[in-house]
Amino acid sequence: NQNQNQIKAVIFDVGGVLVDSPFHVIWDFEAENKIPKGSLTKVMGKGQAYSKLECGEYTLTEFSQKFIEECQAAGIESKFDPKKLMNKINTHPKLRDNYMKAIQEIKKNNLITGIITNNWLIENTTQQNPFVAHLEKTIGVVVQSCVEGIRKPNPEIFKRACERLKVKPENCIYLDDIGMNLKTASQLGMKTILVSHDDEQGKSALSQLQNILGFSLSSSSQSKHCL
């Protein structure tokens, strides 16, 4: 299968792919603080504060001050602590079992796995984020926006991931929950799969991945042997 031979690496996003989407955490936080649903994600998308946090230009404290200003300018009057929200998103999220099993199967089939994530630095520490350290140990190369100083959908962060994985974009499959990021990946030549927020545990995205790869991604299922 020529298609199969071309694929050398599978690259994953974290939030909304390997772990549940942070949007649910944000929506719960909005409800608790009597903020209209979707207002905070709107400010995160349009303002500068969140982008600078993810590019490592702001500490969490600097982000909090600027984000409050941006929220007030957008007409959000509720008093809340942005740091609390970010810490809720960042508390060691649980990795999806089905994705971790799939990654084991991908590696067994001699393909490389890696990660591109938009994230932020942990405040008041020079130590590596323990969650990121765990991802590096179990999955492979982790390219982080806060370390690179650029974030998705900037094509440069995808190129850096390919350089570190020693593969060309056209030999990669990339999974993300945000269309804009997939668009960039696709323009660079990667095969892309959208992990939809209403796709429970990202199951249908995994079956798409399995179809492209041509081998089973669940260790429990019988491996297909031709008799």
Side-chain angles (χ1 to χ4, degrees), residues 143-204:
V143 180
Q144 307 175 72
S145 63
C146 66
V147 173
E148 303 302 324
I150 47 172
R151 65 177 196 153
K152 299 178 290 186
N154 186 328
E156 184 57 34
I157 199 164
F158 293 90
K159 289 176 188 170
R160 288 184 197 178
C162 289
E163 279 163 23
R164 283 172 214 170
L165 292 165
K166 299 182 173 58
V167 288
K168 292 182 177 149
E170 54 269 29
N171 300 128
C172 299
I173 303 171
Y174 178 63
L175 291 87
D176 201 306
D177 62 326
I178 293 174
M180 222 166 30
N181 299 339
L182 293 165
K183 191 177 172 187
T184 300
S186 179
Q187 284 166 347
L188 291 171
M190 293 182 181
K191 288 185 172 58
T192 59
I193 297 173
L194 174 69
V195 185
S196 160
H197 291 158
D198 50 18
D199 174 13
E200 194 212 341
Q201 295 289 302
K203 283 176 193 162
S204 86

Side-chain angles (χ1 to χ4, degrees), residues 12 18 94-109 113 138-139 201 206 209-210 213 215-221:
F12 300 87
L18 296 180
K94 189 184 174 324
L95 289 158
R96 289 173 168 172
D97 288 338
N98 55 346
Y99 275 77
M100 296 314 285
K101 280 196 185 105
I103 285 164
Q104 284 175 352
E105 295 303 310
I106 292 165
K107 288 181 165 188
K108 273 186 205 164
N109 283 274
T113 52
T138 51
I139 297 169
Q201 295 289 302
L206 263 193
L209 178 60
Q210 186 168 280
L213 292 172
F215 54 79
S216 170
L217 292 179
S218 52
S219 44
S220 55
S221 71

Side-chain angles (χ1 to χ4, degrees), residues 7 16 19 23 28 67 70 74 99 113 116 124 129 139-140 149 155 160 165 168 180 185 191 215 222:
I7 300 301
V19 304
F23 283 113
D28 289 348
F67 189 64
E70 289 179 348
Y99 275 77
T113 52
I116 306 171
N124 306 328
N129 180 331
I139 297 169
R160 288 184 197 178
L165 292 165
K168 292 182 177 149
M180 222 166 30
K191 288 185 172 58
F215 54 79
Q222 293 288 306

